[in-house]
Structures are given as structure tokens and as C-alpha cells.
Amino acid sequence: MPEATVRTVHARSQKRCERCGTDQALRFSLHHRKPRGMGGTKDPTINSPANIVLLCGSGTEGCHGWIESHRMEAYEDGLLVYRIDDPAEIPVTLRYGTVYLDDVGGLQQC
């Protein structure tokens, strides 16, 4: 993932889980709303800030684990988006409320 994207997402999140708001997690991870796929992808939006959220935990624990084990609810909340979708056009419910994420680290209330 490009370092610029990592910096942008960390700045937007203020180094707190963007789903629950904790800053006390033992581990944080960057979650792709649009999955990368087993063989990778050439999709230019895959590593965009609109597609990445900072979450507590890993793929098996914390908010990141919740998404992986509650996929239908995660799609409903915009925490997962389908491969045909542009993440910047799909609202996501985070600690800020339901927002659109953009590629420069901003968010806009729905």
C-alpha cells in the first residue's frame, strides 16, 4: 500500500479505530472495503483512501474481525463494497456517522 495512503488514513482516523473509536487497541489494521482478491488486482481504487479504513484488531479480532465474521452487515454498513462499486460513491457507517470517504482523506456526512 502506498505510504501516502497510509499517512492519509492515519490522519483522517486520528489513529483511532474508525468503527468503534478506540485508541487503546493492542493492534490496528488497514481494511480494504473493496476486497483485493486472491490474485491481486489492477483496480486503481484498491489502495485509495476512500477504500481503506483503520480498524482495531485483525481479521479475526476487534472491529476487523467483526467485519470478517458479519459480512452481510458489513456490506449494509458500507464496510465492504462489491468489486463493481467505486468506494468513494458508497456511504460507510463509521464512528463519525454515515459518511462518504474521499481520496484526499476527507469525509462528508450523508
Side-chain angles (χ1 to χ4, degrees):
M1 183 174 310
E3 184 60 33
T5 297
V6 174
R7 282 193 309 271
T8 299
V9 172
H10 278 260
R12 180 185 70 216
S13 70
Q14 299 173 345
K15 297 186 180 179
R16 300 174 69 100
C17 177
E18 292 189 277
R19 182 169 178 263
C20 74
T22 189
D23 63 353
Q24 300 298 310
L26 296 176
R27 179 177 179 173
F28 287 92
S29 56
L30 295 168
H31 165 70
H32 287 83
R33 296 172 60 207
K34 181 191 296 192
R36 291 172 289 181
M38 295 297 284
T41 181
K42 294 181 181 172
D43 182 342
T45 67
I46 208 70
N47 286 320
S48 68
N51 192 46
I52 309 292
V53 291
L54 183 72
L55 298 172
C56 62
S58 66
T60 59
E61 60 190 19
C63 287
H64 203 160
W66 182 90
I67 290 169
E68 297 303 328
S69 61
H70 296 88
R71 295 183 74 78
M72 289 307 298
E73 294 97 328
Y75 276 106
E76 291 170 7
D77 289 345
L79 292 161
L80 286 172
V81 300
Y82 296 101
R83 291 180 194 264
I84 61 170
D85 292 329
D86 179 348
E89 296 177 2
I90 305 297
V92 59
T93 301
L94 299 172
R95 73 173 199 259
Y96 322 106
T98 302
V99 298
Y100 290 97
L101 301 177
D102 66 29
D103 288 337
V104 293
L107 49 94
Q108 181 178 0
Q109 296 291 323
C110 291

